[in-house]
Amino acid sequence: DAKTTQPPSMDCAEGRAANLPCNHSTISGNEYVYWYRQIHSQGPQYIIHGLKNNETNEMASLIITEDRKSSTLILPHATLRDTAVYYCIVRVTGTYKYIFGTGTRLKVLA
Amino acid sequence: DTGVSQNPRHKITKRGQNVTFRCDPISEHNRLYWYRQTLGQGPEFLTYFQNEAQLEKSRLLSDRFSAERPKGSFSTLEIQRTEQGDSAMYLCASSLTGEMLGSGYTFGSGTRLTVV
């Protein structure tokens, strides 16, 4: 079954790059990897998604391994406002069910 | 457009009571989703609507749970005979047809239910 595995927590110094890993070894060939974050008491917010190639937008970069079994979300210059829980998400093929997992709690330190 | 709106934001109820939550999606979005999030866990999919039709339900949605979207606009999630294990954040999300998870898939801020 679709599943993601992430470290439960990470710290990052303000201004440094935050690299958040995710294992999704059971991902199907046509399924995207999505990253969302959730700040306390709010709903999850979209960050980025990708299929095979690395992706970059104004918020982050996404590096996907060639075998697609894992990926890394990179926040290039973390700020205090990036403190949140980050979820790596995959879909159960053929459904509208997305698997969020337990996420990584990122704490950006001043 | 103020995004996906959920009411109430917080609900405290006694065990055994019924509760109902409301979700107002982004106006042009015809897909609507409900999730449940317990403390320390990620959101778990409950159910999905395309317009007024409920097209997918999770096994998590026991017979005490019912969701409706009568006119294809707002949706309600009712929990009957609440149990302490129902305490969680209930999240609603909406999107347009053809949009999968991504920038167009928008979550509300959720309703936090506490069953005492």
Side-chain angles (χ1 to χ4, degrees):
Chain A
D1 208 4
K3 181 184 175 182
T4 64
T5 303
Q6 299 176 254
S9 64
M10 293 181 66
D11 289 343
C12 177
E14 189 178 20
R16 303 298 294 268
N19 297 290
L20 293 92
C22 177
N23 179 289
H24 37 77
S25 58
T26 58
I27 192 171
S28 299
N30 295 326
E31 296 296 339
Y32 285 77
V33 178
Y34 303 86
W35 284 81
Y36 272 62
R37 73 181 183 185
Q38 188 173 26
I39 297 169
H40 184 62
S41 296
Q42 296 183 17
Q45 299 172 312
Y46 170 74
I47 301 172
I48 198 167
H49 70 282
L51 182 62
K52 295 180 182 178
N53 301 319
N54 299 337
E55 301 288 343
T56 296
N57 64 19
E58 64 278 6
M59 290 183 69
S61 295
L62 177 61
I63 308 297
I64 303 173
T65 58
E66 194 170 340
D67 63 9
R68 300 206 336 112
K69 292 185 177 182
S70 64
S71 61
T72 300
L73 178 74
I74 301 171
L75 306 179
H77 306 287
T79 70
L80 297 177
R81 289 183 299 177
D82 292 323
T83 292
V85 178
Y86 287 77
Y87 293 101
C88 162
I89 305 157
V90 296
R91 187 175 69 117
V92 178
T93 300
T95 76
Y96 291 93
K97 182 179 179 181
Y98 291 96
I99 306 299
F100 276 69
T102 53
T104 296
R105 185 173 297 277
L106 175 69
K107 188 173 182 180
V108 180
L109 305 171
Chain B
D1 193 342
T2 56
V4 177
S5 176
Q6 292 190 246
N7 289 288
R9 287 299 310 276
H10 304 274
K11 178 71 177 178
I12 300 174
T13 191
K14 291 184 178 179
R15 190 176 53 184
Q17 297 293 306
N18 299 344
V19 293
T20 300
F21 312 137
R22 177 177 169 127
C23 172
D24 287 90
I26 291 173
S27 57
E28 64 267 27
H29 284 186
N30 48 13
R31 289 183 173 176
L32 187 146
Y33 314 82
W34 284 99
Y35 289 78
R36 182 180 73 181
Q37 185 174 24
T38 54
L39 202 61
Q41 302 296 314
E44 298 172 290
F45 171 84
L46 291 178
T47 191
Y48 151 66
F49 288 86
Q50 172 85 27
N51 299 313
E52 65 275 8
Q54 188 174 21
L55 298 184
E56 193 168 340
K57 291 197 293 186
S58 164
R59 287 173 294 178
L60 293 173
L61 212 65
S62 76
D63 56 5
R64 295 186 298 106
F65 287 69
S66 62
E68 293 183 340
R69 195 182 182 199
K71 297 183 180 179
S73 56
F74 72 91
S75 175
T76 58
L77 178 67
E78 181 184 17
I79 309 174
Q80 295 182 327
R81 306 181 303 282
T82 52
E83 302 172 356
Q84 287 190 320
D86 297 331
S87 295
M89 175 78 84
Y90 290 85
L91 291 160
C92 177
S94 69
S95 73
L96 287 169
T97 297
E99 279 184 341
M100 305 308 285
L101 203 64
S103 60
Y105 191 114
T106 305
F107 283 87
S109 295
T111 293
R112 181 169 295 284
L113 173 67
T114 303
V115 181
V116 297

